[in-house]
Amino acid sequence: MSPAKTKKAAKATTPSAPKRIDVRKTYKLYVGGAFPRSESGRSYEVRDAKGAFLANAAMGSRKDVRDAVVKARGAQAGWAGATAYNRGQVLYRVGEVLEGRREQFVAEVAASEGVTRTRANALVDQAIDRWIWYAGWSDKVAQVLGNLNPVAGPYFDISAPEPTGVVGVLAPQGSSLLGLVSVIAPAIVTGNTVVVLTSEERPLPAISLGEVLATSDVPGGVVNLISGRTAEMAPWLASHRDVNAVDLTGAADATDVDWADLEVKAADNLKRVLRPAGSGSDAVEPDWAEQPDLSRVRAYLETKTVWHPKGQ
Amino acid sequence: MSTTTATSRARDLLGVSSLSNASLTTWLHGLPGVDQVGCEARAAALGTRSIKTTSKAWAIDTAIGMIDLTTLEGADTEGKVRSLCAKAVTPDPLDPTTPHVAAVCVYNDMVGIAKDALKGTGIHVAAVATAFPSGRASMPVKLADTKDAVEAGADEIDMVIDRGAFLSGRYRQVFDEIVATKEACGQAHLKVILETGELVTYDNVRRASWLAMLAGADFIKTSTGKISPAATLPVTLIMLEAVRDWRELTGEMVGVKPAGGIRTTKDAVKYLVMVNEIAGEDWLTPEWFRFGASSLLTDLQLQRQKLATGAYSGADYVTID
């Protein structure tokens, strides 16, 4: 028997094993299907609802946003070019993997949002159901939002929805998983790609979602997740000329973020802007438990109308 | 420089009575060997310089002005060459302060079209000749190729060396081919492509650089862009050292042109830093340093727009090649 084995055997019989050393986590970003550190080299502490240390998360910078947009742009044509059926299958697969890792999500949601395990369980259920619900729309959205238009002439006149392109998303600050899923799924189901600034204080479920996406069949670059300070990165995302739409949902309750400023920046290249819920400048986070409609899907679609001559 | 003057000057430099393959071999193999680790470390270290704000703005404009905007595809058409020329003159129609590029680099048969499209702009037309990219043709064909391009109005000729001959040690043959091509160029500038990706070792890159300069090259160029690896920082560093040492020896300046694989502003800035540090400031002009590139211009424009507007730009805001 080798000395190492002897040692191991001896250790196993020791009545009180020494306390394990903590495996302290420092998470990274999810960009282009890979997990890079922030270009800035920074990280920040993520704490639970009671203030206890949970993990370190990468503190993304404007250059991470820039890199993520490049990846999202690179992935967009391929993702939009996949058949709707295929996109639906891929997203359904994500639902399967989420289900397989639900325990981790329940723990992270409970810690991040300070809710009971029962409540966290319900939130994870809702989040997975929400994802599946949106996935199902991939090959149905054209029937509902497209049309064969009546025209006075010998033409077929067809309107079909097409993805807008790259969508910048400010993920909800409060609802760390259900809200996150509710903003990502409707954007990507139709063939858009997204760059998501995760909840500043509650990024862990988003980071785990990145791990889920990396191990399912979603092509790299379709979803890019950047943790960090929303106020620092959001202006760069909103002003980026290669981003076609921004979702400002997460501006509600974000520290030092004025969504009107972001809308002004976005207007520079005529981006589509999805304003946060609430009236005037008082942005509020929507009630994610409500059954959604197609409005978030429709927000990132362009309608292409084709006139085609019709034979007699 | 005629054949005889090139050869007699080479004889003087080598200190021999007749320029034989043996004397060239002795001379080229007498050059100090390249310290591979040191060279790569130096190139990597120079690549870490941080160039920001006004320096970056200067570097971007300088780099744009040094580009040989290139299209060397079998699928090239007159229309494509014309649109490339239009881009060369006005890279960014939204911003007239953007400088124009140094030259447009095309295949032989497109020289006339490019010349016509660039009339009066001061932008040179460069043609690749001598059976580019392989160089596998007989000497009369290579010379006819060169003369054809010069007659069509090419201001610069990019020739390839016979790598097979070079690697077999037939230096005299390579020397003679460069000299003959230089003669066929007349007034046109001659850039000699070493195709460093096929030369195997850094020592060979150094020898090929010296051989080309000895034969009268106006520029030494890394690659055709058809072979991978194309231009790399260490290879360019060796070539910059060669032109620096050549000036020390003869008092003449020779230009350097890395080509192929330089796609981002960051890459271009690294090269500019290296030019400044290795060869010296005198080389930091389009007359003595060029980038052989096509997509690099797009990235330089995006960075230029970012500096001007404060927002990241995208492909929708630059012209399509």
Side-chain angles (χ1 to χ4, degrees):
Chain A
M1 195 184 265
S2 71
K5 273 191 176 167
T6 325
K7 202 172 168 189
K8 199 175 174 189
K11 195 175 172 185
T13 55
T14 313
S16 60
K19 194 173 172 286
R20 272 191 76 218
I21 297 170
D22 282 347
V23 181
R24 288 165 69 96
K25 300 177 191 117
T26 299
Y27 290 112
K28 297 191 274 189
L29 309 172
Y30 179 57
V31 174
F35 293 95
R37 290 197 172 78
S38 168
E39 157 283 330
S40 64
R42 301 173 303 177
S43 61
Y44 68 110
E45 289 189 354
V46 178
R47 297 185 172 273
D48 69 11
K50 295 193 189 74
F53 176 81
L54 280 176
N56 295 301
M59 198 200 281
S61 68
R62 67 179 170 90
K63 291 189 178 177
D64 293 315
V65 171
R66 174 197 66 184
D67 295 348
V69 172
V70 170
K71 296 293 182 186
R73 174 60 63 196
Q76 203 267 323
W79 180 239
T83 61
Y85 172 76
N86 182 238
R87 277 200 305 275
Q89 293 287 302
V90 168
L91 295 184
Y92 186 81
R93 167 90 186 125
V94 174
E96 290 175 4
V97 183
L98 279 170
E99 191 69 48
R101 292 177 61 153
R102 60 175 305 123
E103 280 313 309
Q104 184 189 356
F105 282 104
V106 169
E108 285 174 352
V109 168
S112 300
E113 299 181 23
V115 294
T116 61
R117 271 196 83 81
T118 321
R119 172 77 184 129
N121 239 311
L123 285 170
V124 172
D125 281 347
Q126 282 176 317
I128 298 173
D129 293 350
R130 183 67 46 85
W131 187 277
I132 303 282
W133 187 81
Y134 275 119
W137 275 106
S138 67
D139 55 359
K140 299 166 190 72
V141 76
Q143 284 97 307
V144 179
L145 299 182
N147 197 32
L148 181 62
N149 308 312
V151 287
Y155 298 98
F156 282 118
D157 188 77
I158 305 154
S159 292
E162 293 197 340
T164 296
V166 175
V167 180
V169 178
L170 272 58
Q173 301 296 331
S175 182
S176 58
L177 183 65
L178 176 58
L180 178 75
V181 161
S182 304
V183 295
I184 294 178
I188 63 174
V189 67
T190 54
N192 296 294
T193 54
V194 293
V195 175
V196 182
L197 307 184
T198 64
S199 167
E200 187 169 323
E201 302 293 333
R202 301 174 184 86
L204 294 196
I207 292 163
S208 296
L209 180 67
E211 289 172 2
V212 164
L213 294 167
T215 49
S216 50
D217 301 326
V218 181
V222 169
V223 178
N224 303 278
L225 301 162
I226 303 181
S227 50
R229 305 284 177 231
T230 309
E232 178 191 339
M233 298 183 290
W236 293 99
L237 190 59
S239 68
H240 199 307
R241 287 169 155 205
D242 208 22
V243 172
N244 304 102
V246 280
D247 175 356
L248 300 179
T249 303
D253 304 322
T255 317
D256 297 330
V257 172
D258 177 0
W259 68 265
D261 273 353
L262 298 178
E263 188 171 19
V264 168
K265 287 201 157 61
D268 197 40
N269 76 331
L270 307 179
K271 276 184 199 65
R272 292 191 177 278
V273 176
L274 190 63
R275 292 178 169 180
S279 61
S281 61
D282 300 325
V284 293
E285 199 166 315
D287 177 9
W288 298 111
E290 271 179 30
Q291 182 58 31
D293 55 21
L294 273 184
S295 60
R296 285 187 168 272
V297 175
R298 194 200 297 256
Y300 315 118
L301 288 173
E302 310 293 328
T303 299
K304 180 166 82 181
T305 297
V306 179
W307 295 67
H308 192 285
K310 182 159 63 173
Q312 293 305 313
Chain B
M1 198 186 294
S2 73
T3 316
T4 37
T5 45
T7 315
S8 69
R9 190 183 61 165
R11 274 201 306 266
D12 289 348
L13 276 172
L14 269 60
V16 291
S17 54
S18 82
L19 192 67
S20 63
N21 198 58
S23 58
L24 273 172
T25 307
T26 312
W27 187 65
L28 290 174
H29 287 251
L31 291 168
V34 178
D35 167 6
Q36 184 183 343
V37 174
C39 169
E40 284 169 2
R42 177 97 170 107
L46 288 173
T48 61
R49 296 279 172 87
S50 179
I51 309 292
K52 301 288 180 205
T53 62
T54 48
S55 312
K56 187 174 179 184
W58 178 88
I60 288 171
D61 280 5
T62 306
I64 292 176
M66 287 175 168
I67 288 180
D68 280 6
L69 199 58
T70 304
T71 182
L72 297 170
E73 301 295 332
D76 282 350
T77 59
E78 296 185 9
K80 188 176 175 201
V81 171
R82 280 207 191 87
S83 73
L84 193 78
C85 290
K87 187 170 183 174
V89 181
T90 317
D92 192 345
L94 297 172
D95 185 353
T97 63
T98 314
H100 65 64
V101 304
V104 168
C105 184
V106 291
Y107 268 119
N108 203 332
D109 60 332
M110 294 293 175
V111 170
I113 290 124
K115 198 71 197 163
D116 184 51
L118 295 172
K119 203 177 285 169
T121 61
I123 298 174
H124 286 183
V125 175
V128 291
T130 70
F132 180 94
S134 66
R136 295 255 69 86
S138 68
M139 206 50 212
V141 173
K142 289 183 183 177
L143 290 179
D145 194 9
T146 309
K147 282 181 188 136
D148 198 34
V150 174
E151 275 160 27
D155 306 288
E156 301 170 3
I157 298 292
D158 289 25
M159 74 167 285
V160 287
I161 63 165
D162 184 340
R163 280 86 74 189
F166 181 88
L167 291 170
S168 332
R170 302 200 300 276
Y171 300 130
R172 178 67 208 245
Q173 183 189 334
V174 177
F175 177 90
D176 289 343
E177 289 190 5
I178 298 171
V179 169
T181 311
K182 171 80 183 162
E183 207 175 349
C185 281
Q187 292 301 306
H189 271 56
L190 177 67
K191 302 197 199 99
V192 178
I193 304 172
L194 310 180
E195 194 62 298
T196 53
E198 288 185 343
L199 293 185
V200 190
T201 66
Y202 289 154
D203 285 348
N204 277 342
V205 173
R206 178 168 284 172
R207 287 172 195 147
S209 304
W210 281 88
L211 184 61
M213 292 186 296
L214 189 70
D218 297 305
F219 253 80
I220 49 177
K221 172 173 167 184
T222 59
S223 329
T224 58
K226 304 287 183 195
I227 297 281
S228 186
T232 64
L233 286 167
V235 153
T236 311
L237 185 141
I238 293 164
M239 291 165 64
L240 286 165
E241 285 176 343
V243 296
R244 176 197 66 195
D245 295 346
W246 180 256
R247 180 164 77 164
E248 209 141 282
L249 185 70
T250 66
E252 289 168 10
M253 275 176 84
V254 172
V256 176
K257 173 177 171 186
I262 306 166
R263 294 197 179 84
T264 64
T265 302
K266 208 172 237 181
D267 288 342
V269 171
K270 286 178 188 175
Y271 279 97
L272 291 181
V273 168
M274 190 182 267
V275 172
N276 188 57
E277 296 295 315
I278 305 293
E281 233 175 299
D282 294 349
W283 268 269
L284 276 177
T285 78
E287 204 189 339
W288 301 113
F289 193 78
R290 296 279 180 86
F291 290 109
S294 38
S295 59
L296 171 64
L297 180 57
T298 304
D299 195 62
L300 285 164
Q301 275 177 267
L302 293 178
Q303 296 300 322
R304 206 173 184 280
Q305 291 172 357
K306 155 75 173 60
L307 286 181
T309 63
Y312 287 119
S313 194
D316 291 348
Y317 297 87
V318 289
T319 49
I320 301 165
D321 298 326

